Amino acid sequence: METRREERIGQLLLALKRSDKLHLKEAAALLGVSEMTIRRDLQRNDAPVVLLGGYIVLEPRSAGVSHYLLSDQKTRLVEEKRLAGRRAAELVSAHQTLFFDCGTTTPWIIDALDDALPFTGVCYSLNTFLALQEKPACRVILCGGEFHASNAIFKPLNFRETLRNICPDIAFFSAAGLHLQQGATCFNLDELPVKQWALETAQRHVLVADSSKFGKVRPACMGPLEAFDTIVTDAKPEAKFVEWAKTSGVTLLW
């Protein structure tokens, strides 16, 4: 039984050399087994591939790469993200239009919002959309496009055409790194077009990140920290960040 599992995973690895992702249904057809069999194969932590949003992708730690994978991040620093999300949710008023970035922190903002609060939520990632549709008084706008399984985002094929009629009251941004010189950064260049649209059109820019992200620099640059009106985190940052915020006129909340 174990040998058959290893053979199936080996075939999946070969298939992923030709493509960055493979739909579960396609994988089942390729291997001649049920989707449930593949799900069971991938449940163990030793698998070099993972199932994310209905797609099979490489597990980055097994592949020797360092890019962001949503499934790897969602169980990290949960309480810190919850606290930052709760603090950010305090900024929301009824009947506002809110943009929610991708990542594993922004769903905690949505979770902290009162179920009776009427608002419009704009998003472009699968996990954020799933959080928004749980809010009964929310009007949800999902920006469609090409699906990227590693971070579960939909990258609009023409994002200006899709989003040009929307001007959010508040844009909630996530980041994997906050650095005084290098600014706000994330792992994936694919996220930048929508992030930059939100920076251009939203009336208020709120960067929400847990305290582990301070001082880190990641490959994709979102912009300088001064581009954000407010930075929300779960604990008081180092003195140099606090002093910078006072000097730059950026509101720092924790």
Side-chain angles (χ1 to χ4, degrees), residues 10-243:
Q11 289 181 267
L12 293 176
L13 286 170
L14 287 174
L16 289 172
K17 288 184 178 181
R18 300 186 294 269
S19 174
D20 63 342
K21 60 183 180 292
L22 183 67
H23 196 279
L24 179 60
K25 185 176 294 185
E26 294 175 320
L30 174 67
L31 301 181
V33 298
S34 68
E35 295 181 17
M36 183 57 67
T37 295
I38 297 177
R39 288 182 184 275
R40 283 197 296 264
D41 285 347
L42 304 185
Q43 281 178 349
R44 284 172 38 179
N45 292 331
D46 63 346
V49 294
V50 295
L51 183 63
L52 177 65
Y55 287 85
I56 296 168
V57 297
L58 286 173
E59 214 309 333
R61 290 169 295 188
S62 301
V65 295
S66 61
H67 63 271
Y68 179 97
L69 189 71
L70 188 73
S71 62
D72 193 37
Q73 297 292 325
K74 65 181 180 181
T75 57
R76 294 181 178 178
L77 301 167
V78 171
E79 187 57 30
E80 290 83 353
K81 294 171 182 177
R82 189 199 310 272
L83 289 171
R86 187 181 303 160
R87 188 71 176 92
E90 296 173 0
L91 304 174
V92 176
S93 300
H95 305 294
Q96 287 185 320
T97 296
L98 310 172
F99 165 78
F100 295 96
D101 205 351
C102 61
T104 56
T105 300
T106 43
W108 289 112
I109 306 172
I110 300 165
D111 182 73
L113 295 174
D114 192 308
D115 285 350
L117 182 76
F119 70 98
T120 297
V122 183
C123 64
Y124 69 114
S125 65
L126 183 60
N127 65 320
T128 306
F129 167 75
L130 292 174
L132 285 170
Q133 61 93 30
E134 291 293 328
K135 295 296 176 178
C138 175
R139 176 193 181 202
V140 187
I141 299 175
L142 172 63
C143 307
E146 180 186 5
F147 183 66
H148 292 252
S150 64
N151 51 352
I153 69 166
F154 296 88
K155 182 181 179 183
L157 300 180
N158 186 337
F159 72 93
R160 290 193 180 278
E161 186 68 25
T162 305
L163 300 170
R164 66 179 181 177
N165 295 319
I166 303 173
C167 293
D169 294 286
I170 304 176
F172 290 105
F173 298 87
S174 63
L178 282 72
H179 193 276
L180 292 179
Q181 284 74 47
Q182 302 300 326
T185 56
C186 59
F187 281 100
N188 292 297
L189 291 169
D190 293 325
E191 300 171 13
L192 293 183
V194 179
K195 291 178 187 285
Q196 290 167 354
W197 160 81
L199 281 170
E200 291 173 4
T201 59
Q203 298 179 48
R204 185 175 184 183
H205 311 116
V206 179
L207 181 59
V208 186
D210 67 78
S211 50
S212 73
K213 307 302 191 299
F214 284 79
K216 303 288 179 58
V217 179
R218 303 307 183 188
C221 182
M222 298 165 56
L225 294 182
E226 291 86 352
F228 304 93
D229 311 299
T230 306
I231 297 176
V232 183
T233 187
D234 60 285
K236 186 176 181 178
E238 294 181 0
K240 62 181 179 180
F241 278 96
V242 176
E243 184 59 33

